[in-house]
């Protein structure tokens, strides 16, 4: 058998075959295999060949290695260990490559991020997210911009002349976003301010930005239905026009396009924007859309514009915004005079005889400063003359009233009943229908059919003001003017885009003879008292006693510090407890308004009223007079607790205590039947009838009887 055949035969045997094709089971003795596996192979010295390299240290090491490593390992080393070493080498190369790639991209990302942080704003074009950062490089506001733009559109950067302070992004045929950073402020508590503006490139695409609010407390807008304080988490509504409304609508009659965040953010929205707002638990959305009640006739493109300021805390950014961005008052009425008065609004069938009887009852209180407000003095609303049946000789009536030491003001409004003698006589002065042919009529209060004075018509304004000036009363409280009561379609002598501009014109025209209004919007250039809508004689939060403080806080923040909170006890008959608790709150507010003598409720209520009026005269009026200058500058007179503790999470939510200025804390009882309440004391040392309390801390289950109102004076060290 030659070598080749032997090899084949050997292979057949290894595969268990014979030449005849019969399989043979080959089995080695188990003991031999185990014995061989447990012993080292023998190394024949005769097979070892000496090499010159053995004399070197490496050769000596190799020689020792060969003699000591088991023969099995020596046999496996040439192939398997080289493969393993190669795999390990490739693995380390991959790790090094990934590490270097990560470091490189992280450095790039940090470099980009640091550039954006230097400006305080970061924009993600794919997610359309604007991030505002404070001076500590922390996110304080996230804005999802361009909500109605096609989702697959990616913007490209457009270049403007001012490349230092302005960035521009354009979505093809949809919209252009411009972000302008204000030059650095000298006020170290405010980091940056920005102007965010949209220009629509499509007439059919609304412009909409949404703000995430679930990680902060938000304040502002005005008298939102339900009077939430803070805004988020208390009320929700889908997109509604941001114009002055009625008592029952989502937005009331005193508004401003202003928002404030506990994270030190203020947002001021331009009055030229046809603004719709949406408020939900996690977000506030602003939408610019050419739809009712805004004018739909315009050749210009749709715009959205607002300013954002970022500061160290809620108070500092608000003060900066008020000082730097909010318009200053041009005229100021005699604010201190009306603080000193007790205002009386009789809820009676008004005539000379009933008035005299009413005043005699009021005089039993022994008050020297009284101001009487007369409503329903016309025979038909819009006559602008005294009713000859109720007041056959008003001058005599007026003299009798003044002998009782009462000053007099009248209520007035711009609505002309179609039954008035002036309706047809001066028909050219009223707002016209959409075809500019006849007056556009509406309903208001008890007037079922009324025309509205067109304040954009100078001749109509002059007629109205001169008619009021001819009356023997120098001052008036004005009502109405809300956009809610405008007809659906109308024509003005001088068209305006935003219907709330009419209320601004209304306020400016009557400023000379006005001591207050119940409608205000956008900005108050003619500083005066604003009156809240009538309250109901209940304890509830919607329009009862518990609605007062959240509403006063909000109006003070949005730019209306001089507030008439309405009649004590609400408009109607209240019980003695509700009247007393309401009065205990109201004596600390800028205006005190009563409707009927407390003696009609009970003798105890009468005596408590006299005591509380003495506290107002002795303690509150001097303090309020000192704060008038603050109010003229736009600072609230009645302040939330966070005003002295802007970083206190508890103070940010308290809505049943308040500050008069910075140094008088009041904690009235606002729950029926309660003679205890928890009181939160902010930072500082406070004095309550000789007892010193150091805050911040809670006074739990603090006893407050019906004839007590807790108040604390700050101790100045």
């Amino acid at each position: 058998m030659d070598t080749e055949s032997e090899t084949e035969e050997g292979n057949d045997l290894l595969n268990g075959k014979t030449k005849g094709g019969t399989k043979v089971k080959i089995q080695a003795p188990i003991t031999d295999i185990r014995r061989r596996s447990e012993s080292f192979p023998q190394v024949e010295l005769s097979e070892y060949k000496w090499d010159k390299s053995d004399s070197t240290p490496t050769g000596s090491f190799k020689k020792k290695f060969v003699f000591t490593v088991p023969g099995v390992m020596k046999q496996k080393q040439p192939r398997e260990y080289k493969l393993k070493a190669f795999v390990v080498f490739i693995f380390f190369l991959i790790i090094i490559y990934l590490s270097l790639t990560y470091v490189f991209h992280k450095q790039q990302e940090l470099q980009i991020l640091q550039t954006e942080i230097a400006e305080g704003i970061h924009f993600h074009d794919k997610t359309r997210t604007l991030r505002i950062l404070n001076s500590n490089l922390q996110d304080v506001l996230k804005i999802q911009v361009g909500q109605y733009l096609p989702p697959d559109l990616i913007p490209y950067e457009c270049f403007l002349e001012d490349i230092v302070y302005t960035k521009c992004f354009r979505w093809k045929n949809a919209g252009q976003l411009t972000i302008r950073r204000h030059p650095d402020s000298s006020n170290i508590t405010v980091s940056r301010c920005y102007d965010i503006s949209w220009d629509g490139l499509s007439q059919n695409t609304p412009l909409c930005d949404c703000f995430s609010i679930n990680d902060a407390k938000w304040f502002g807008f005005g008298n939102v239905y339900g009077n939430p304080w803070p805004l988020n988490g208390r009320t929700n509504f889908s997109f509604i026009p941001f114009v002055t409304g009625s008592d029952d609508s989502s937005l009331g009659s005193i508004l401003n396009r202003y928002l404030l965040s506990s994270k030190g953010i203020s947002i001021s929205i331009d009055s030229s924007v046809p603004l719709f707002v949406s408020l939900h638990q996690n977000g506030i959305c602003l939408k610019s859309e050419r739809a009712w009640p805004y004018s739909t006739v315009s050749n210009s493109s749709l715009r959205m514009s607002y300013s954002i300021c970022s500061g160290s805390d809620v108070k500092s950014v608000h003060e900066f915004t008020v000082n730097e961005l909010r318009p200053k008052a041009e005229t100021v009425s005699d604010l201190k005079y009306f603080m000193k008065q007790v205002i009386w609004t009789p809820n009676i069938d008004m005539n000379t005889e009933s008035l005299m009887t009413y005043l005699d009852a009021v005089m039993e209180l022994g008050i020297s400063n009284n101001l009487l407000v007369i409503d329903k003095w016309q025979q038909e609303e819009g006559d602008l003359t005294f009713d000859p049946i109720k007041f056959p000789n008003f001058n005599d009536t007026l003299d009798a009233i003044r002998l009782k030491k009462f000053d007099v003001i009248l209520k007035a409004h711009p609505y002309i009943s179609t039954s008035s003698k002036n309706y047809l006589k001066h028909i050219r002065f009223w707002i016209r229908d959409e075809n500019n042919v006849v007056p556009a009529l509406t309903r208001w209060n008890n007037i079922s059919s009324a025309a509205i004075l067109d304040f954009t018509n100078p001749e109509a304004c002059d007629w109205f003001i001169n008619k009021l000036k001819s009356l023997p009363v120098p001052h008036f409280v004005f009502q109405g003017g809300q956009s809610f009561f405008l007809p659906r379609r109308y024509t003005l002598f001088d068209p305006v885009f935003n219907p709330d501009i009419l209320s601004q014109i209304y306020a400016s025209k009557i400023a000379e003879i006005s001591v207050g209004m119940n409608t205000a919007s956008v900005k108050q250039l003619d500083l005066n008292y604003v009156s809240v809508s009538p309250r109901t004689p209940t304890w509830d939060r919607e329009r009862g006693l518990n609605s007062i403080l959240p509403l006063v806080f909000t109006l003070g923040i949005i730019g209306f510090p001089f507030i008439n909170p309405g009649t004590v006890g609400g408009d109607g008959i209240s019980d003695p407890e509700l009247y007393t608790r309401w009065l205990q709150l109201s004596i600390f507010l800028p205006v005190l308004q009563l409707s009927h003598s407390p003696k009609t409720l009970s003798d105890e209520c009468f005596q408590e009223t006299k005591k509380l009026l003495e506290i107002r005269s002795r303690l509150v009026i001097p303090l309020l007079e000192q704060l008038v200058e603050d109010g003229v500058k736009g600072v609230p007179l009645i302040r939330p607790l966070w005003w002295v503790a802007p970083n206190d999470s508890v103070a940010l939510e308290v809505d049943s205590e308040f500050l008069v200025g910075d140094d008088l804390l009041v904690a009235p009882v606002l729950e029926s039947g309660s003679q205890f309440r928890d009181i939160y004391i902010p930072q500082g040392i406070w004095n309550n009838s000789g007892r010193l309390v150091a805050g911040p801390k809670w006074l739990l289950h603090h006893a407050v009887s019906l004839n007590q109102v807790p108040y604390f004076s700050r101790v100045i060290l």
Side-chain angles (χ1 to χ4, degrees):
M1 183 179 295
D2 56 18
T3 304
E4 184 176 351
S5 63
E6 288 178 355
T7 302
E8 292 177 356
E9 184 177 352
N11 291 336
D12 289 339
L13 289 173
L14 287 173
N15 293 324
K17 294 181 181 181
T18 64
K19 287 184 178 181
T22 305
K23 289 187 177 182
V24 179
K25 184 176 182 180
I26 301 175
Q27 183 174 357
I30 296 176
T31 55
D32 292 341
I33 294 174
R34 182 182 298 114
R35 186 178 300 113
R36 284 196 299 270
S37 66
E38 292 175 351
S39 61
F40 290 112
Q42 300 296 317
V43 179
E44 295 293 335
L45 292 177
S46 60
E47 295 177 2
Y48 182 80
K49 294 183 179 180
W50 185 262
D51 190 271
K52 295 192 285 188
S53 61
D54 292 349
S55 61
T56 66
T58 306
S60 177
F61 173 79
K62 186 187 297 183
K63 176 179 170 183
K64 292 179 181 179
F65 179 80
V66 171
F67 275 102
T68 56
V69 175
V72 174
M73 295 181 68
K74 180 182 176 184
Q75 293 170 8
K76 291 182 179 180
Q77 182 183 7
R79 187 167 183 176
E80 293 187 16
Y81 275 79
K82 285 182 180 180
L83 179 61
K84 289 181 179 180
F86 178 75
V87 170
V88 171
F89 175 73
I90 294 298
F91 175 76
F92 277 108
L93 279 181
I94 294 173
I95 294 296
I96 292 170
Y97 172 77
L98 292 176
S99 299
L100 290 174
T101 302
Y102 174 80
V103 170
F104 174 76
H105 284 287
K106 196 67 179 176
Q107 286 178 341
Q108 268 197 330
E109 181 181 337
L110 287 173
Q111 185 177 1
I112 295 171
L113 189 60
Q114 286 169 2
T115 301
E116 299 296 341
I117 287 173
E119 298 180 356
I121 192 166
H122 189 202
F123 178 61
H124 296 273
D125 58 352
K126 292 183 180 179
T127 61
R128 297 179 186 168
T129 303
L130 273 174
R131 294 167 51 231
I132 307 295
L133 299 97
N134 62 13
S135 56
N136 296 322
L137 309 185
Q138 298 171 325
D139 280 348
V140 288
L141 182 63
K142 290 185 180 179
I143 313 171
Q144 295 297 130
V145 302
Q147 294 289 292
Y148 286 85
L149 301 185
D152 55 340
L153 275 185
I154 301 298
Y156 59 88
E157 189 169 353
C158 43
F159 296 96
L160 304 174
E161 291 184 4
D162 181 8
I163 62 174
V164 177
Y165 294 110
T166 306
K167 298 291 183 183
C168 174
F169 302 91
R170 180 184 287 256
W171 286 259
K172 186 177 180 180
N173 298 325
Q176 177 174 304
L177 174 65
T178 304
I179 304 167
R180 176 183 174 272
R181 177 170 63 86
H182 292 199
D184 291 346
S185 168
S186 59
N187 187 336
I188 61 173
T189 62
V190 175
S191 54
R192 291 283 162 79
C193 288
Y194 311 90
D195 291 331
I196 313 295
S197 62
W198 278 98
D199 288 286
L201 304 179
S202 168
Q203 291 290 334
N204 300 320
T205 304
L207 303 172
C208 180
D209 293 349
C210 293
F211 304 84
S212 176
I213 65 172
N214 56 358
D215 57 348
K217 308 300 178 186
W218 286 80
F219 314 95
F221 276 165
N223 53 330
V224 176
Y225 186 79
N227 303 292
W229 180 269
L231 270 175
N232 40 328
R234 297 287 182 89
T235 190
N236 297 286
F237 51 81
S238 296
F239 283 109
I240 56 175
F242 195 87
V243 295
T244 48
S246 68
D247 297 338
D248 299 320
S249 55
S250 296
L251 297 176
S253 59
I254 306 173
L255 304 175
N256 198 354
R257 300 177 170 203
Y258 180 70
L259 287 167
L260 187 64
S261 161
S262 61
K263 286 198 169 183
I265 290 287
S266 71
I267 302 174
S268 305
I269 305 142
D270 194 89
S271 62
S272 65
V273 175
L275 180 63
F276 293 76
V277 296
S278 175
L279 173 61
H280 296 282
Q281 185 173 0
N282 296 325
I284 295 173
C285 292
L286 310 178
K287 181 172 69 170
S288 175
E289 185 175 16
R290 192 167 285 117
W292 186 89
Y294 302 101
S295 173
T296 58
V297 180
S298 176
N299 295 322
S300 60
S301 61
L302 196 62
R303 282 185 57 81
M304 166 78 86
S305 178
Y306 53 91
S307 297
I308 297 176
C309 287
S310 169
S312 59
D313 57 59
V314 61
K315 179 186 176 185
S316 64
V317 74
H318 175 68
E319 289 183 316
F320 176 84
T321 304
V322 168
N323 291 332
E324 301 295 330
L325 303 182
R326 188 173 287 175
K328 304 298 184 292
E330 295 176 355
T331 62
V332 179
S333 64
D334 191 353
L335 300 168
K336 292 183 180 180
Y337 169 78
F338 293 98
M339 287 178 175
K340 297 175 183 177
Q341 308 300 310
V342 176
I343 298 177
W344 294 92
T345 56
N347 187 16
I348 60 176
D349 185 12
M350 194 75 68
N351 57 57
T352 298
E353 184 178 350
S354 63
L355 262 181
M356 294 303 110
T357 303
Y358 175 86
L359 297 180
D360 288 340
V362 169
M363 290 175 66
E364 295 183 22
L365 281 169
I367 306 170
S368 58
N369 298 315
N370 293 291
L371 184 62
L372 177 66
V373 180
I374 299 179
D375 192 9
K376 300 180 177 63
W377 48 276
Q378 307 169 78
Q379 187 172 32
E380 294 290 345
E381 298 296 332
D383 286 347
L384 302 181
T385 57
F386 291 101
D387 186 336
I389 298 174
K390 294 180 178 180
F391 305 103
N393 191 334
F394 188 78
N395 285 330
D396 290 345
T397 303
L398 186 59
D399 290 339
I401 293 172
R402 287 171 174 167
L403 282 174
K404 296 179 183 292
K405 299 190 182 303
F406 282 78
D407 286 339
V408 177
I409 58 177
L410 302 177
K411 285 188 177 181
H413 55 76
Y415 302 97
I416 313 297
S417 170
T418 53
S419 300
S420 169
K421 59 187 179 184
N422 287 321
Y423 173 69
L424 292 176
K425 186 177 180 180
H426 300 286
I427 199 168
R428 68 187 185 280
F429 293 160
W430 321 139
I431 292 175
R432 315 287 284 181
D433 70 347
E434 60 182 329
N435 298 317
N436 198 20
V437 175
V438 296
L441 302 181
T442 189
R443 294 180 180 179
W444 183 78
N445 283 4
N446 296 323
I447 311 175
S448 59
S449 178
I452 310 172
L453 188 77
D454 186 350
F455 282 100
T456 68
N457 183 340
E459 188 180 358
C461 289
D462 291 342
W463 170 81
F464 181 70
I465 299 301
N466 289 332
K467 287 289 290 183
L468 293 177
K469 283 184 175 181
S470 68
L471 299 172
V473 174
H475 295 103
F476 299 82
V477 173
F478 286 90
Q479 299 176 295
Q482 301 96 321
S483 295
F484 178 86
F485 294 106
L486 287 170
R488 183 80 181 186
R489 298 283 183 263
Y490 60 89
T491 303
L492 298 174
F493 179 86
D494 185 9
V496 297
F497 180 73
N498 179 353
D500 269 351
I501 293 177
L502 277 175
S503 67
Q504 297 175 48
I505 300 173
Y506 175 28
S508 65
K509 297 296 184 182
I510 63 175
E512 183 183 353
I513 58 174
S514 172
V515 294
M517 291 187 67
N518 72 344
T519 303
S521 66
V522 184
K523 55 189 176 183
Q524 192 178 26
L525 296 181
D526 306 287
L527 196 58
N528 219 324
Y529 285 95
V530 292
S531 302
V532 304
S533 57
R535 304 290 94 183
T536 58
T538 62
W539 298 83
D540 67 49
R541 189 184 183 92
E542 290 183 1
R543 289 177 62 188
L545 173 59
N546 277 276
S547 70
I548 299 293
L549 280 180
L551 185 52
V552 168
F553 290 156
T554 300
L555 298 186
I557 291 298
I558 67 172
F560 305 101
F562 299 100
I563 305 162
N564 179 351
T567 301
V568 169
D571 283 28
I573 303 299
S574 57
D575 64 80
E577 182 195 8
L578 176 61
Y579 184 92
T580 300
R581 293 303 194 192
W582 205 309
L583 183 60
Q584 289 172 349
L585 162 63
S586 298
I587 63 166
F588 294 95
L589 303 182
V591 171
L592 178 62
Q593 179 173 305
L594 305 177
S595 179
H596 50 266
S597 171
K599 202 168 188 178
T600 60
L601 299 176
S602 69
D603 288 337
E604 293 79 7
C605 190
F606 179 77
Q607 295 301 324
E608 182 66 16
T609 300
K610 292 181 68 173
K611 185 188 77 173
L612 290 170
L613 290 176
E614 189 277 328
I615 294 175
R616 177 176 175 84
S617 176
R618 171 178 50 84
L619 175 67
V620 182
I621 296 299
L623 180 55
L624 287 172
E625 289 182 315
Q626 294 174 17
L627 296 171
V628 165
E629 192 59 35
D630 283 351
V632 171
K633 295 176 181 177
V635 177
L637 279 62
I638 306 302
R639 302 165 186 175
L641 295 195
W642 58 250
W643 194 265
V644 295
N647 296 309
D648 186 331
S649 59
V650 176
L652 284 165
E653 295 198 64
V654 172
D655 61 359
S656 63
E657 304 173 33
F658 63 96
L659 296 161
V660 184
D662 288 345
D663 300 328
L664 182 64
L665 186 153
V666 186
V669 173
L670 304 176
E671 303 298 328
S672 176
S674 178
Q675 296 200 9
F676 297 89
R677 70 154 293 166
D678 297 340
I679 301 174
Y680 185 71
I681 305 296
Q683 65 183 25
I685 300 176
W686 302 82
N687 182 2
N688 174 230
S689 300
R691 177 192 176 193
L692 298 183
V693 182
K697 70 178 296 184
W698 280 99
L699 301 181
L700 300 177
H701 211 56
H702 186 80
V704 187
S705 65
L706 185 58
N707 61 356
Q708 291 180 316
V709 53
Y711 59 88
F712 302 76
S713 300
R714 181 190 290 273
V715 177
I716 308 298
L717 299 178

